[in-house]
Amino acid sequence: MSARIQPSILAADFVNLEADVVRIATADAVHVDVMDNHFVPNLTFGPQMVGRLQAVASIPLDVHLMISDVDRWAPGYAELGVFSVTFHAEATDAPVALARRLREIGARAGIAVKPGTALEPYLELLPEFDQVLVMTVEPGFGGQGFMADMMPKVAAARAAIDAAGIDVWLQVDGGIALDTIGQAAEAGADTFVAGSAVYGAADVETAIADLRAAAERHAH
Ligand code: DX5
Ligand code: ZN
């Protein structure tokens, strides 16, 4: 398996975002955290900034919406031409209808669950999605500790994806670093978001390569 590494620009320099996206050109995608100060107690940026990132980035944009009212707002992000749009299951009553809309616009559709949200009700919906995100921290902030107790949830998602024989990426986000990525890969994750572990490293390119190698060593 080849592990996908997606650095999170939440840990980048917000007044030098273009330069910080160029620095991670060897990554598989750039993870873009959109927060509205309502769904989570933190605020980042909206579609205007994501549109500019889409214009300057040489790698795909993986947009992670930590916002409420996704039925209203998520399609606008897909319309920017980004590669992938992930919304939280907790933020909509109609996840399948929204996923269909996002795919129709041309984006990959992702569904995310917070640590306290059970994944079971969503497993049968996975054929409607391209990606499922199991949060390994409480969403809102970078630099938090990895929640190893989420690994059974990752394993359950892996089992459901394999049983259905579908090509759904299994993403983890939060506290992913050299000492934790192996556990997540062993549980079945194939797509890894890392903020501080990449942007906090002395050499960003080496950090990306080391994370990828560590994940692949522990992959199924
Ligand atoms: C947290 C965000 C993450 C965050 C991860 O709510 O969704 O993408 O940037 O940061 P680290 O890798 O530092 O835990
Ligand atoms: Zn994220």
Side-chain angles (χ1 to χ4, degrees):
M1 154 270 210
S2 104
R4 299 177 199 95
I5 305 298
Q6 306 182 332
S8 167
I9 49 162
L10 188 62
D13 179 353
F14 273 25
V15 296
N16 290 295
L17 277 184
E18 182 174 8
D20 269 355
V21 169
V22 170
R23 286 171 71 202
I24 58 158
T26 58
D28 298 278
V30 51
H31 182 81
V32 177
D33 286 306
V34 176
M35 305 187 189
D36 66 351
N37 229 355
H38 184 260
F39 184 77
V40 289
N42 196 6
L43 181 68
T44 56
F45 40 70
Q48 191 176 355
M49 180 72 91
V50 177
R52 286 297 298 138
L53 287 167
Q54 171 68 13
V56 303
S58 65
I59 54 176
L61 261 58
D62 177 72
V63 176
H64 176 195
L65 299 177
M66 283 163 280
I67 62 174
S68 305
D69 208 359
V70 284
D71 302 299
R72 178 172 178 193
W73 299 114
Y77 287 89
E79 279 158 11
L80 296 171
V82 303
F83 177 70
S84 177
V85 176
T86 295
F87 59 84
H88 270 265
E90 303 88 353
T92 178
D93 292 326
V96 169
L98 183 53
R100 288 181 182 170
R101 248 181 105 190
L102 295 174
R103 285 173 141 184
E104 217 174 83
I105 296 167
R108 288 168 59 87
I111 187 160
V113 285
K114 290 181 180 187
T117 302
L119 189 58
E120 278 70 33
Y122 303 101
L123 290 178
E124 64 183 23
L125 311 182
L126 288 183
E128 301 280 350
F129 288 88
D130 301 289
Q131 173 166 293
V132 55
L133 166 54
V134 176
M135 289 302 301
T136 44
V137 297
E138 202 56 57
F141 299 92
Q144 303 182 77
F146 176 77
M147 297 171 70
D149 53 337
M150 291 300 116
M151 293 309 95
K153 204 192 270 193
V154 174
R158 168 52 55 205
I161 291 166
D162 289 352
I166 48 181
D167 183 21
V168 174
W169 295 3
L170 177 44
Q171 186 182 46
V172 283
D173 180 10
I176 297 296
L178 268 185
D179 59 341
T180 56
I181 196 167
Q183 295 170 61
E186 241 156 58
D190 55 22
T191 305
F192 306 87
V193 176
S196 12
V198 171
Y199 282 109
D203 180 344
V204 164
E205 212 174 304
T206 306
I208 292 167
D210 288 351
L211 284 167
R212 195 181 275 125
E216 286 173 2
R217 266 199 306 280
H218 289 87
H220 287 211

